[in-house]
mmCIF file with all atom_site columns, all heavy atoms in Angstrom:
data_model
loop_
_atom_site.group_PDB
_atom_site.id
_atom_site.type_symbol
_atom_site.label_atom_id
_atom_site.label_alt_id
_atom_site.label_comp_id
_atom_site.label_asym_id
_atom_site.label_entity_id
_atom_site.label_seq_id
_atom_site.pdbx_PDB_ins_code
_atom_site.Cartn_x
_atom_site.Cartn_y
_atom_site.Cartn_z
_atom_site.occupancy
_atom_site.B_iso_or_equiv
_atom_site.pdbx_formal_charge
_atom_site.auth_seq_id
_atom_site.auth_comp_id
_atom_site.auth_asym_id
_atom_site.auth_atom_id
_atom_site.pdbx_PDB_model_num
ATOM 1   N N   . LEU A 1 1  ? 96.333  -25.002 -99.833  1.00 0.00 ? 1  LEU A N   1
ATOM 2   C CA  . LEU A 1 1  ? 95.152  -24.598 -99.087  1.00 0.00 ? 1  LEU A CA  1
ATOM 3   C C   . LEU A 1 1  ? 93.861  -24.798 -99.914  1.00 0.00 ? 1  LEU A C   1
ATOM 4   O O   . LEU A 1 1  ? 93.766  -24.292 -101.052 1.00 0.00 ? 1  LEU A O   1
ATOM 5   C CB  . LEU A 1 1  ? 95.248  -23.128 -98.668  1.00 0.00 ? 1  LEU A CB  1
ATOM 6   C CG  . LEU A 1 1  ? 94.118  -22.584 -97.806  1.00 0.00 ? 1  LEU A CG  1
ATOM 7   C CD1 . LEU A 1 1  ? 93.986  -23.342 -96.465  1.00 0.00 ? 1  LEU A CD1 1
ATOM 8   C CD2 . LEU A 1 1  ? 94.324  -21.114 -97.552  1.00 0.00 ? 1  LEU A CD2 1
ATOM 9   N N   . GLU A 1 2  ? 92.942  -25.539 -99.307  1.00 0.00 ? 2  GLU A N   1
ATOM 10  C CA  . GLU A 1 2  ? 91.598  -25.771 -99.908  1.00 0.00 ? 2  GLU A CA  1
ATOM 11  C C   . GLU A 1 2  ? 90.558  -25.230 -98.980  1.00 0.00 ? 2  GLU A C   1
ATOM 12  O O   . GLU A 1 2  ? 90.459  -25.722 -97.820  1.00 0.00 ? 2  GLU A O   1
ATOM 13  C CB  . GLU A 1 2  ? 91.397  -27.284 -100.166 1.00 0.00 ? 2  GLU A CB  1
ATOM 14  C CG  . GLU A 1 2  ? 92.379  -27.963 -101.106 1.00 0.00 ? 2  GLU A CG  1
ATOM 15  C CD  . GLU A 1 2  ? 91.905  -27.846 -102.599 1.00 0.00 ? 2  GLU A CD  1
ATOM 16  O OE1 . GLU A 1 2  ? 90.805  -27.424 -102.779 1.00 0.00 ? 2  GLU A OE1 1
ATOM 17  O OE2 . GLU A 1 2  ? 92.722  -28.237 -103.413 1.00 0.00 ? 2  GLU A OE2 1
ATOM 18  N N   . LEU A 1 3  ? 89.790  -24.284 -99.428  1.00 0.00 ? 3  LEU A N   1
ATOM 19  C CA  . LEU A 1 3  ? 88.685  -23.740 -98.652  1.00 0.00 ? 3  LEU A CA  1
ATOM 20  C C   . LEU A 1 3  ? 87.376  -23.877 -99.492  1.00 0.00 ? 3  LEU A C   1
ATOM 21  O O   . LEU A 1 3  ? 87.422  -23.664 -100.717 1.00 0.00 ? 3  LEU A O   1
ATOM 22  C CB  . LEU A 1 3  ? 88.868  -22.305 -98.281  1.00 0.00 ? 3  LEU A CB  1
ATOM 23  C CG  . LEU A 1 3  ? 90.109  -21.955 -97.345  1.00 0.00 ? 3  LEU A CG  1
ATOM 24  C CD1 . LEU A 1 3  ? 90.218  -20.498 -97.086  1.00 0.00 ? 3  LEU A CD1 1
ATOM 25  C CD2 . LEU A 1 3  ? 89.985  -22.756 -96.008  1.00 0.00 ? 3  LEU A CD2 1
ATOM 26  N N   . ARG A 1 4  ? 86.306  -24.301 -98.840  1.00 0.00 ? 4  ARG A N   1
ATOM 27  C CA  . ARG A 1 4  ? 85.038  -24.584 -99.560  1.00 0.00 ? 4  ARG A CA  1
ATOM 28  C C   . ARG A 1 4  ? 83.888  -23.802 -98.889  1.00 0.00 ? 4  ARG A C   1
ATOM 29  O O   . ARG A 1 4  ? 83.954  -23.478 -97.699  1.00 0.00 ? 4  ARG A O   1
ATOM 30  C CB  . ARG A 1 4  ? 84.817  -26.050 -99.581  1.00 0.00 ? 4  ARG A CB  1
ATOM 31  C CG  . ARG A 1 4  ? 85.882  -26.886 -100.137 1.00 0.00 ? 4  ARG A CG  1
ATOM 32  C CD  . ARG A 1 4  ? 85.427  -28.359 -100.203 1.00 0.00 ? 4  ARG A CD  1
ATOM 33  N NE  . ARG A 1 4  ? 84.295  -28.563 -100.994 1.00 0.00 ? 4  ARG A NE  1
ATOM 34  C CZ  . ARG A 1 4  ? 84.344  -28.707 -102.310 1.00 0.00 ? 4  ARG A CZ  1
ATOM 35  N NH1 . ARG A 1 4  ? 85.489  -28.723 -102.962 1.00 0.00 ? 4  ARG A NH1 1
ATOM 36  N NH2 . ARG A 1 4  ? 83.210  -28.927 -103.038 1.00 0.00 ? 4  ARG A NH2 1
ATOM 37  N N   . SER A 1 5  ? 82.874  -23.586 -99.727  1.00 0.00 ? 5  SER A N   1
ATOM 38  C CA  . SER A 1 5  ? 81.584  -23.087 -99.194  1.00 0.00 ? 5  SER A CA  1
ATOM 39  C C   . SER A 1 5  ? 80.556  -24.064 -99.708  1.00 0.00 ? 5  SER A C   1
ATOM 40  O O   . SER A 1 5  ? 80.820  -25.055 -100.408 1.00 0.00 ? 5  SER A O   1
ATOM 41  C CB  . SER A 1 5  ? 81.322  -21.689 -99.735  1.00 0.00 ? 5  SER A CB  1
ATOM 42  O OG  . SER A 1 5  ? 80.967  -21.715 -101.095 1.00 0.00 ? 5  SER A OG  1
ATOM 43  N N   . ALA A 1 6  ? 79.246  -23.819 -99.339  1.00 0.00 ? 6  ALA A N   1
ATOM 44  C CA  . ALA A 1 6  ? 78.172  -24.742 -99.773  1.00 0.00 ? 6  ALA A CA  1
ATOM 45  C C   . ALA A 1 6  ? 78.021  -24.682 -101.241 1.00 0.00 ? 6  ALA A C   1
ATOM 46  O O   . ALA A 1 6  ? 77.487  -25.596 -101.877 1.00 0.00 ? 6  ALA A O   1
ATOM 47  C CB  . ALA A 1 6  ? 76.890  -24.278 -99.033  1.00 0.00 ? 6  ALA A CB  1
ATOM 48  N N   . ARG A 1 7  ? 78.496  -23.632 -101.887 1.00 0.00 ? 7  ARG A N   1
ATOM 49  C CA  . ARG A 1 7  ? 78.371  -23.481 -103.324 1.00 0.00 ? 7  ARG A CA  1
ATOM 50  C C   . ARG A 1 7  ? 79.591  -24.100 -104.107 1.00 0.00 ? 7  ARG A C   1
ATOM 51  O O   . ARG A 1 7  ? 79.528  -24.093 -105.350 1.00 0.00 ? 7  ARG A O   1
ATOM 52  C CB  . ARG A 1 7  ? 78.292  -22.020 -103.696 1.00 0.00 ? 7  ARG A CB  1
ATOM 53  C CG  . ARG A 1 7  ? 76.915  -21.357 -103.186 1.00 0.00 ? 7  ARG A CG  1
ATOM 54  C CD  . ARG A 1 7  ? 76.867  -19.867 -103.473 1.00 0.00 ? 7  ARG A CD  1
ATOM 55  N NE  . ARG A 1 7  ? 77.849  -19.113 -102.759 1.00 0.00 ? 7  ARG A NE  1
ATOM 56  C CZ  . ARG A 1 7  ? 77.627  -18.646 -101.503 1.00 0.00 ? 7  ARG A CZ  1
ATOM 57  N NH1 . ARG A 1 7  ? 76.479  -18.910 -100.921 1.00 0.00 ? 7  ARG A NH1 1
ATOM 58  N NH2 . ARG A 1 7  ? 78.582  -17.946 -100.893 1.00 0.00 ? 7  ARG A NH2 1
ATOM 59  N N   . GLY A 1 8  ? 80.597  -24.544 -103.344 1.00 0.00 ? 8  GLY A N   1
ATOM 60  C CA  . GLY A 1 8  ? 81.764  -25.202 -104.013 1.00 0.00 ? 8  GLY A CA  1
ATOM 61  C C   . GLY A 1 8  ? 83.038  -24.564 -103.573 1.00 0.00 ? 8  GLY A C   1
ATOM 62  O O   . GLY A 1 8  ? 83.104  -23.828 -102.550 1.00 0.00 ? 8  GLY A O   1
ATOM 63  N N   . PRO A 1 9  ? 84.154  -24.958 -104.255 1.00 0.00 ? 9  PRO A N   1
ATOM 64  C CA  . PRO A 1 9  ? 85.480  -24.480 -103.822 1.00 0.00 ? 9  PRO A CA  1
ATOM 65  C C   . PRO A 1 9  ? 85.626  -22.928 -103.878 1.00 0.00 ? 9  PRO A C   1
ATOM 66  O O   . PRO A 1 9  ? 85.088  -22.307 -104.800 1.00 0.00 ? 9  PRO A O   1
ATOM 67  C CB  . PRO A 1 9  ? 86.409  -25.152 -104.792 1.00 0.00 ? 9  PRO A CB  1
ATOM 68  C CG  . PRO A 1 9  ? 85.641  -26.292 -105.420 1.00 0.00 ? 9  PRO A CG  1
ATOM 69  C CD  . PRO A 1 9  ? 84.254  -25.835 -105.420 1.00 0.00 ? 9  PRO A CD  1
ATOM 70  N N   . VAL A 1 10 ? 86.273  -22.423 -102.926 1.00 0.00 ? 10 VAL A N   1
ATOM 71  C CA  . VAL A 1 10 ? 86.618  -20.954 -102.891 1.00 0.00 ? 10 VAL A CA  1
ATOM 72  C C   . VAL A 1 10 ? 88.087  -20.736 -103.162 1.00 0.00 ? 10 VAL A C   1
ATOM 73  O O   . VAL A 1 10 ? 88.475  -19.877 -103.966 1.00 0.00 ? 10 VAL A O   1
ATOM 74  C CB  . VAL A 1 10 ? 86.207  -20.329 -101.515 1.00 0.00 ? 10 VAL A CB  1
ATOM 75  C CG1 . VAL A 1 10 ? 86.552  -18.834 -101.489 1.00 0.00 ? 10 VAL A CG1 1
ATOM 76  C CG2 . VAL A 1 10 ? 84.730  -20.525 -101.231 1.00 0.00 ? 10 VAL A CG2 1
ATOM 77  N N   . LEU A 1 11 ? 88.946  -21.529 -102.474 1.00 0.00 ? 11 LEU A N   1
ATOM 78  C CA  . LEU A 1 11 ? 90.359  -21.534 -102.822 1.00 0.00 ? 11 LEU A CA  1
ATOM 79  C C   . LEU A 1 11 ? 90.728  -23.003 -103.203 1.00 0.00 ? 11 LEU A C   1
ATOM 80  O O   . LEU A 1 11 ? 90.363  -23.917 -102.458 1.00 0.00 ? 11 LEU A O   1
ATOM 81  C CB  . LEU A 1 11 ? 91.175  -21.062 -101.623 1.00 0.00 ? 11 LEU A CB  1
ATOM 82  C CG  . LEU A 1 11 ? 91.045  -19.611 -101.275 1.00 0.00 ? 11 LEU A CG  1
ATOM 83  C CD1 . LEU A 1 11 ? 91.915  -19.299 -100.039 1.00 0.00 ? 11 LEU A CD1 1
ATOM 84  C CD2 . LEU A 1 11 ? 91.456  -18.667 -102.424 1.00 0.00 ? 11 LEU A CD2 1
ATOM 85  N N   . ARG A 1 12 ? 91.502  -23.138 -104.245 1.00 0.00 ? 12 ARG A N   1
ATOM 86  C CA  . ARG A 1 12 ? 91.786  -24.474 -104.843 1.00 0.00 ? 12 ARG A CA  1
ATOM 87  C C   . ARG A 1 12 ? 93.297  -24.696 -104.859 1.00 0.00 ? 12 ARG A C   1
ATOM 88  O O   . ARG A 1 12 ? 93.975  -24.237 -105.766 1.00 0.00 ? 12 ARG A O   1
ATOM 89  C CB  . ARG A 1 12 ? 91.244  -24.581 -106.225 1.00 0.00 ? 12 ARG A CB  1
ATOM 90  C CG  . ARG A 1 12 ? 89.774  -24.148 -106.330 1.00 0.00 ? 12 ARG A CG  1
ATOM 91  C CD  . ARG A 1 12 ? 89.403  -23.961 -107.806 1.00 0.00 ? 12 ARG A CD  1
ATOM 92  N NE  . ARG A 1 12 ? 88.126  -23.306 -107.999 1.00 0.00 ? 12 ARG A NE  1
ATOM 93  C CZ  . ARG A 1 12 ? 87.052  -23.964 -108.509 1.00 0.00 ? 12 ARG A CZ  1
ATOM 94  N NH1 . ARG A 1 12 ? 87.145  -25.201 -108.794 1.00 0.00 ? 12 ARG A NH1 1
ATOM 95  N NH2 . ARG A 1 12 ? 85.916  -23.290 -108.564 1.00 0.00 ? 12 ARG A NH2 1
ATOM 96  N N   . GLY A 1 13 ? 93.845  -25.392 -103.849 1.00 0.00 ? 13 GLY A N   1
ATOM 97  C CA  . GLY A 1 13 ? 95.242  -25.786 -103.841 1.00 0.00 ? 13 GLY A CA  1
ATOM 98  C C   . GLY A 1 13 ? 96.211  -24.657 -103.865 1.00 0.00 ? 13 GLY A C   1
ATOM 99  O O   . GLY A 1 13 ? 97.212  -24.683 -104.615 1.00 0.00 ? 13 GLY A O   1
ATOM 100 N N   . VAL A 1 14 ? 95.932  -23.610 -103.065 1.00 0.00 ? 14 VAL A N   1
ATOM 101 C CA  . VAL A 1 14 ? 96.789  -22.364 -103.098 1.00 0.00 ? 14 VAL A CA  1
ATOM 102 C C   . VAL A 1 14 ? 98.031  -22.627 -102.227 1.00 0.00 ? 14 VAL A C   1
ATOM 103 O O   . VAL A 1 14 ? 97.984  -23.089 -101.118 1.00 0.00 ? 14 VAL A O   1
ATOM 104 C CB  . VAL A 1 14 ? 95.992  -21.174 -102.603 1.00 0.00 ? 14 VAL A CB  1
ATOM 105 C CG1 . VAL A 1 14 ? 96.958  -20.040 -102.335 1.00 0.00 ? 14 VAL A CG1 1
ATOM 106 C CG2 . VAL A 1 14 ? 94.902  -20.814 -103.529 1.00 0.00 ? 14 VAL A CG2 1
ATOM 107 N N   . SER A 1 15 ? 99.202  -22.361 -102.831 1.00 0.00 ? 15 SER A N   1
ATOM 108 C CA  . SER A 1 15 ? 100.477 -22.455 -102.116 1.00 0.00 ? 15 SER A CA  1
ATOM 109 C C   . SER A 1 15 ? 101.283 -21.269 -102.424 1.00 0.00 ? 15 SER A C   1
ATOM 110 O O   . SER A 1 15 ? 101.447 -20.813 -103.594 1.00 0.00 ? 15 SER A O   1
ATOM 111 C CB  . SER A 1 15 ? 101.257 -23.675 -102.544 1.00 0.00 ? 15 SER A CB  1
ATOM 112 O OG  . SER A 1 15 ? 100.570 -24.897 -102.215 1.00 0.00 ? 15 SER A OG  1
ATOM 113 N N   . LEU A 1 16 ? 101.837 -20.607 -101.381 1.00 0.00 ? 16 LEU A N   1
ATOM 114 C CA  . LEU A 1 16 ? 102.774 -19.514 -101.521 1.00 0.00 ? 16 LEU A CA  1
ATOM 115 C C   . LEU A 1 16 ? 103.475 -19.286 -100.233 1.00 0.00 ? 16 LEU A C   1
ATOM 116 O O   . LEU A 1 16 ? 103.177 -19.836 -99.171  1.00 0.00 ? 16 LEU A O   1
ATOM 117 C CB  . LEU A 1 16 ? 102.027 -18.204 -101.913 1.00 0.00 ? 16 LEU A CB  1
ATOM 118 C CG  . LEU A 1 16 ? 100.884 -17.621 -101.011 1.00 0.00 ? 16 LEU A CG  1
ATOM 119 C CD1 . LEU A 1 16 ? 101.485 -16.759 -99.942  1.00 0.00 ? 16 LEU A CD1 1
ATOM 120 C CD2 . LEU A 1 16 ? 99.900  -16.825 -101.826 1.00 0.00 ? 16 LEU A CD2 1
ATOM 121 N N   . ALA A 1 17 ? 104.623 -18.534 -100.323 1.00 0.00 ? 17 ALA A N   1
ATOM 122 C CA  . ALA A 1 17 ? 105.470 -18.290 -99.139  1.00 0.00 ? 17 ALA A CA  1
ATOM 123 C C   . ALA A 1 17 ? 106.072 -16.895 -99.204  1.00 0.00 ? 17 ALA A C   1
ATOM 124 O O   . ALA A 1 17 ? 106.243 -16.364 -100.387 1.00 0.00 ? 17 ALA A O   1
ATOM 125 C CB  . ALA A 1 17 ? 106.585 -19.348 -99.037  1.00 0.00 ? 17 ALA A CB  1
ATOM 126 N N   . ALA A 1 18 ? 106.305 -16.301 -98.122  1.00 0.00 ? 18 ALA A N   1
ATOM 127 C CA  . ALA A 1 18 ? 106.935 -14.969 -98.043  1.00 0.00 ? 18 ALA A CA  1
ATOM 128 C C   . ALA A 1 18 ? 107.861 -14.941 -96.860  1.00 0.00 ? 18 ALA A C   1
ATOM 129 O O   . ALA A 1 18 ? 107.497 -15.370 -95.735  1.00 0.00 ? 18 ALA A O   1
ATOM 130 C CB  . ALA A 1 18 ? 105.917 -13.849 -97.949  1.00 0.00 ? 18 ALA A CB  1
ATOM 131 N N   . GLY A 1 19 ? 109.104 -14.380 -97.057  1.00 0.00 ? 19 GLY A N   1
ATOM 132 C CA  . GLY A 1 19 ? 110.069 -14.298 -95.982  1.00 0.00 ? 19 GLY A CA  1
ATOM 133 C C   . GLY A 1 19 ? 109.854 -13.052 -95.147  1.00 0.00 ? 19 GLY A C   1
ATOM 134 O O   . GLY A 1 19 ? 109.001 -12.177 -95.453  1.00 0.00 ? 19 GLY A O   1
ATOM 135 N N   . ALA A 1 20 ? 110.551 -12.948 -94.036  1.00 0.00 ? 20 ALA A N   1
ATOM 136 C CA  . ALA A 1 20 ? 110.461 -11.799 -93.143  1.00 0.00 ? 20 ALA A CA  1
ATOM 137 C C   . ALA A 1 20 ? 110.840 -10.553 -93.948  1.00 0.00 ? 20 ALA A C   1
ATOM 138 O O   . ALA A 1 20 ? 111.843 -10.509 -94.593  1.00 0.00 ? 20 ALA A O   1
ATOM 139 C CB  . ALA A 1 20 ? 111.383 -11.939 -91.920  1.00 0.00 ? 20 ALA A CB  1
ATOM 140 N N   . GLY A 1 21 ? 110.002 -9.517  -93.821  1.00 0.00 ? 21 GLY A N   1
ATOM 141 C CA  . GLY A 1 21 ? 110.250 -8.323  -94.494  1.00 0.00 ? 21 GLY A CA  1
ATOM 142 C C   . GLY A 1 21 ? 109.935 -8.285  -95.975  1.00 0.00 ? 21 GLY A C   1
ATOM 143 O O   . GLY A 1 21 ? 110.086 -7.216  -96.666  1.00 0.00 ? 21 GLY A O   1
ATOM 144 N N   . GLU A 1 22 ? 109.435 -9.402  -96.531  1.00 0.00 ? 22 GLU A N   1
ATOM 145 C CA  . GLU A 1 22 ? 109.088 -9.421  -97.987  1.00 0.00 ? 22 GLU A CA  1
ATOM 146 C C   . GLU A 1 22 ? 107.666 -8.920  -98.193  1.00 0.00 ? 22 GLU A C   1
ATOM 147 O O   . GLU A 1 22 ? 106.839 -9.069  -97.346  1.00 0.00 ? 22 GLU A O   1
ATOM 148 C CB  . GLU A 1 22 ? 109.192 -10.863 -98.498  1.00 0.00 ? 22 GLU A CB  1
ATOM 149 C CG  . GLU A 1 22 ? 108.966 -11.021 -99.989  1.00 0.00 ? 22 GLU A CG  1
ATOM 150 C CD  . GLU A 1 22 ? 109.103 -12.437 -100.501 1.00 0.00 ? 22 GLU A CD  1
ATOM 151 O OE1 . GLU A 1 22 ? 109.377 -13.354 -99.665  1.00 0.00 ? 22 GLU A OE1 1
ATOM 152 O OE2 . GLU A 1 22 ? 109.000 -12.600 -101.713 1.00 0.00 ? 22 GLU A OE2 1
ATOM 153 N N   . ALA A 1 23 ? 107.553 -8.191  -99.344  1.00 0.00 ? 23 ALA A N   1
ATOM 154 C CA  . ALA A 1 23 ? 106.252 -7.680  -99.712  1.00 0.00 ? 23 ALA A CA  1
ATOM 155 C C   . ALA A 1 23 ? 105.629 -8.457  -100.843 1.00 0.00 ? 23 ALA A C   1
ATOM 156 O O   . ALA A 1 23 ? 106.296 -8.535  -101.896 1.00 0.00 ? 23 ALA A O   1
ATOM 157 C CB  . ALA A 1 23 ? 106.337 -6.195  -100.033 1.00 0.00 ? 23 ALA A CB  1
ATOM 158 N N   . LEU A 1 24 ? 104.469 -8.950  -100.659 1.00 0.00 ? 24 LEU A N   1
ATOM 159 C CA  . LEU A 1 24 ? 103.822 -9.821  -101.664 1.00 0.00 ? 24 LEU A CA  1
ATOM 160 C C   . LEU A 1 24 ? 102.415 -9.330  -101.940 1.00 0.00 ? 24 LEU A C   1
ATOM 161 O O   . LEU A 1 24 ? 101.657 -9.057  -100.931 1.00 0.00 ? 24 LEU A O   1
ATOM 162 C CB  . LEU A 1 24 ? 103.741 -11.233 -101.030 1.00 0.00 ? 24 LEU A CB  1
ATOM 163 C CG  . LEU A 1 24 ? 102.970 -12.301 -101.881 1.00 0.00 ? 24 LEU A CG  1
ATOM 164 C CD1 . LEU A 1 24 ? 103.643 -12.596 -103.194 1.00 0.00 ? 24 LEU A CD1 1
ATOM 165 C CD2 . LEU A 1 24 ? 102.808 -13.610 -101.026 1.00 0.00 ? 24 LEU A CD2 1
ATOM 166 N N   . ALA A 1 25 ? 102.103 -9.158  -103.209 1.00 0.00 ? 25 ALA A N   1
ATOM 167 C CA  . ALA A 1 25 ? 100.754 -8.671  -103.584 1.00 0.00 ? 25 ALA A CA  1
ATOM 168 C C   . ALA A 1 25 ? 99.987  -9.876  -104.121 1.00 0.00 ? 25 ALA A C   1
ATOM 169 O O   . ALA A 1 25 ? 100.501 -10.653 -104.932 1.00 0.00 ? 25 ALA A O   1
ATOM 170 C CB  . ALA A 1 25 ? 100.834 -7.591  -104.633 1.00 0.00 ? 25 ALA A CB  1
ATOM 171 N N   . VAL A 1 26 ? 98.730  -9.983  -103.705 1.00 0.00 ? 26 VAL A N   1
ATOM 172 C CA  . VAL A 1 26 ? 97.800  -10.992 -104.237 1.00 0.00 ? 26 VAL A CA  1
ATOM 173 C C   . VAL A 1 26 ? 96.670  -10.193 -104.985 1.00 0.00 ? 26 VAL A C   1
ATOM 174 O O   . VAL A 1 26 ? 96.024  -9.417  -104.353 1.00 0.00 ? 26 VAL A O   1
ATOM 175 C CB  . VAL A 1 26 ? 97.165  -11.876 -103.148 1.00 0.00 ? 26 VAL A CB  1
ATOM 176 C CG1 . VAL A 1 26 ? 96.127  -12.846 -103.755 1.00 0.00 ? 26 VAL A CG1 1
ATOM 177 C CG2 . VAL A 1 26 ? 98.255  -12.650 -102.442 1.00 0.00 ? 26 VAL A CG2 1
ATOM 178 N N   . VAL A 1 27 ? 96.668  -10.346 -106.279 1.00 0.00 ? 27 VAL A N   1
ATOM 179 C CA  . VAL A 1 27 ? 95.694  -9.571  -107.078 1.00 0.00 ? 27 VAL A CA  1
ATOM 180 C C   . VAL A 1 27 ? 94.748  -10.497 -107.832 1.00 0.00 ? 27 VAL A C   1
ATOM 181 O O   . VAL A 1 27 ? 95.067  -11.686 -108.000 1.00 0.00 ? 27 VAL A O   1
ATOM 182 C CB  . VAL A 1 27 ? 96.456  -8.694  -108.152 1.00 0.00 ? 27 VAL A CB  1
ATOM 183 C CG1 . VAL A 1 27 ? 97.469  -7.748  -107.424 1.00 0.00 ? 27 VAL A CG1 1
ATOM 184 C CG2 . VAL A 1 27 ? 97.146  -9.514  -109.213 1.00 0.00 ? 27 VAL A CG2 1
ATOM 185 N N   . GLY A 1 28 ? 93.651  -9.922  -108.265 1.00 0.00 ? 28 GLY A N   1
ATOM 186 C CA  . GLY A 1 28 ? 92.681  -10.743 -109.003 1.00 0.00 ? 28 GLY A CA  1
ATOM 187 C C   . GLY A 1 28 ? 91.373  -9.976  -109.060 1.00 0.00 ? 28 GLY A C   1
ATOM 188 O O   . GLY A 1 28 ? 91.162  -8.969  -108.383 1.00 0.00 ? 28 GLY A O   1
ATOM 189 N N   . ALA A 1 29 ? 90.503  -10.439 -109.939 1.00 0.00 ? 29 ALA A N   1
ATOM 190 C CA  . ALA A 1 29 ? 89.201  -9.813  -110.101 1.00 0.00 ? 29 ALA A CA  1
ATOM 191 C C   . ALA A 1 29 ? 88.353  -9.994  -108.781 1.00 0.00 ? 29 ALA A C   1
ATOM 192 O O   . ALA A 1 29 ? 88.625  -10.812 -107.980 1.00 0.00 ? 29 ALA A O   1
ATOM 193 C CB  . ALA A 1 29 ? 88.442  -10.426 -111.304 1.00 0.00 ? 29 ALA A CB  1
ATOM 194 N N   . SER A 1 30 ? 87.325  -9.162  -108.782 1.00 0.00 ? 30 SER A N   1
ATOM 195 C CA  . SER A 1 30 ? 86.362  -9.319  -107.655 1.00 0.00 ? 30 SER A CA  1
ATOM 196 C C   . SER A 1 30 ? 85.787  -10.730 -107.624 1.00 0.00 ? 30 SER A C   1
ATOM 197 O O   . SER A 1 30 ? 85.377  -11.225 -108.640 1.00 0.00 ? 30 SER A O   1
ATOM 198 C CB  . SER A 1 30 ? 85.241  -8.257  -107.841 1.00 0.00 ? 30 SER A CB  1
ATOM 199 O OG  . SER A 1 30 ? 84.288  -8.380  -106.846 1.00 0.00 ? 30 SER A OG  1
ATOM 200 N N   . GLY A 1 31 ? 85.755  -11.270 -106.367 1.00 0.00 ? 31 GLY A N   1
ATOM 201 C CA  . GLY A 1 31 ? 85.229  -12.647 -106.241 1.00 0.00 ? 31 GLY A CA  1
ATOM 202 C C   . GLY A 1 31 ? 86.215  -13.764 -106.577 1.00 0.00 ? 31 GLY A C   1
ATOM 203 O O   . GLY A 1 31 ? 85.867  -14.930 -106.505 1.00 0.00 ? 31 GLY A O   1
ATOM 204 N N   . SER A 1 32 ? 87.508  -13.433 -106.717 1.00 0.00 ? 32 SER A N   1
ATOM 205 C CA  . SER A 1 32 ? 88.460  -14.448 -107.062 1.00 0.00 ? 32 SER A CA  1
ATOM 206 C C   . SER A 1 32 ? 88.985  -15.189 -105.842 1.00 0.00 ? 32 SER A C   1
ATOM 207 O O   . SER A 1 32 ? 89.711  -16.217 -106.007 1.00 0.00 ? 32 SER A O   1
ATOM 208 C CB  . SER A 1 32 ? 89.663  -13.846 -107.859 1.00 0.00 ? 32 SER A CB  1
ATOM 209 O OG  . SER A 1 32 ? 90.337  -12.829 -107.063 1.00 0.00 ? 32 SER A OG  1
ATOM 210 N N   . GLY A 1 33 ? 88.738  -14.726 -104.620 1.00 0.00 ? 33 GLY A N   1
ATOM 211 C CA  . GLY A 1 33 ? 89.151  -15.362 -103.419 1.00 0.00 ? 33 GLY A CA  1
ATOM 212 C C   . GLY A 1 33 ? 90.185  -14.645 -102.663 1.00 0.00 ? 33 GLY A C   1
ATOM 213 O O   . GLY A 1 33 ? 90.761  -15.183 -101.656 1.00 0.00 ? 33 GLY A O   1
ATOM 214 N N   . LYS A 1 34 ? 90.490  -13.372 -103.016 1.00 0.00 ? 34 LYS A N   1
ATOM 215 C CA  . LYS A 1 34 ? 91.557  -12.660 -102.399 1.00 0.00 ? 34 LYS A CA  1
ATOM 216 C C   . LYS A 1 34 ? 91.395  -12.400 -100.865 1.00 0.00 ? 34 LYS A C   1
ATOM 217 O O   . LYS A 1 34 ? 92.242  -12.711 -100.098 1.00 0.00 ? 34 LYS A O   1
ATOM 218 C CB  . LYS A 1 34 ? 91.788  -11.280 -103.073 1.00 0.00 ? 34 LYS A CB  1
ATOM 219 C CG  . LYS A 1 34 ? 92.006  -11.320 -104.542 1.00 0.00 ? 34 LYS A CG  1
ATOM 220 C CD  . LYS A 1 34 ? 92.349  -9.979  -105.164 1.00 0.00 ? 34 LYS A CD  1
ATOM 221 C CE  . LYS A 1 34 ? 91.256  -8.879  -104.937 1.00 0.00 ? 34 LYS A CE  1
ATOM 222 N NZ  . LYS A 1 34 ? 90.006  -9.211  -105.552 1.00 0.00 ? 34 LYS A NZ  1
ATOM 223 N N   . THR A 1 35 ? 90.159  -11.860 -100.560 1.00 0.00 ? 35 THR A N   1
ATOM 224 C CA  . THR A 1 35 ? 89.902  -11.555 -99.165  1.00 0.00 ? 35 THR A CA  1
ATOM 225 C C   . THR A 1 35 ? 89.827  -12.839 -98.306  1.00 0.00 ? 35 THR A C   1
ATOM 226 O O   . THR A 1 35 ? 90.279  -12.901 -97.183  1.00 0.00 ? 35 THR A O   1
ATOM 227 C CB  . THR A 1 35 ? 88.575  -10.751 -99.022  1.00 0.00 ? 35 THR A CB  1
ATOM 228 O OG1 . THR A 1 35 ? 88.771  -9.520  -99.695  1.00 0.00 ? 35 THR A OG1 1
ATOM 229 C CG2 . THR A 1 35 ? 88.191  -10.543 -97.565  1.00 0.00 ? 35 THR A CG2 1
ATOM 230 N N   . THR A 1 36 ? 89.295  -13.946 -98.804  1.00 0.00 ? 36 THR A N   1
ATOM 231 C CA  . THR A 1 36 ? 89.229  -15.221 -98.139  1.00 0.00 ? 36 THR A CA  1
ATOM 232 C C   . THR A 1 36 ? 90.603  -15.676 -97.789  1.00 0.00 ? 36 THR A C   1
ATOM 233 O O   . THR A 1 36 ? 90.894  -16.186 -96.707  1.00 0.00 ? 36 THR A O   1
ATOM 234 C CB  . THR A 1 36 ? 88.499  -16.252 -98.971  1.00 0.00 ? 36 THR A CB  1
ATOM 235 O OG1 . THR A 1 36 ? 87.102  -15.801 -99.203  1.00 0.00 ? 36 THR A OG1 1
ATOM 236 C CG2 . THR A 1 36 ? 88.442  -17.559 -98.258  1.00 0.00 ? 36 THR A CG2 1
#
């Protein structure tokens, strides 16, 4: 996944998968792209 804004890349080649019922945490500093 590649997502961009006018200021540049927001997400850069992100790949992940989760099965049914699996719990996955995405962590990172503020502004790292988690909410996007």
Side-chain angles (χ1 to χ4, degrees):
L1 182 62
E2 298 272 351
L3 296 179
R4 303 183 62 84
S5 73
R7 294 177 291 275
V10 179
L11 292 178
R12 310 163 189 254
V14 170
S15 297
L16 58 86
E22 185 176 2
L24 174 66
V26 177
V27 305
S30 176
S32 60
K34 305 186 301 296
T35 295
T36 300

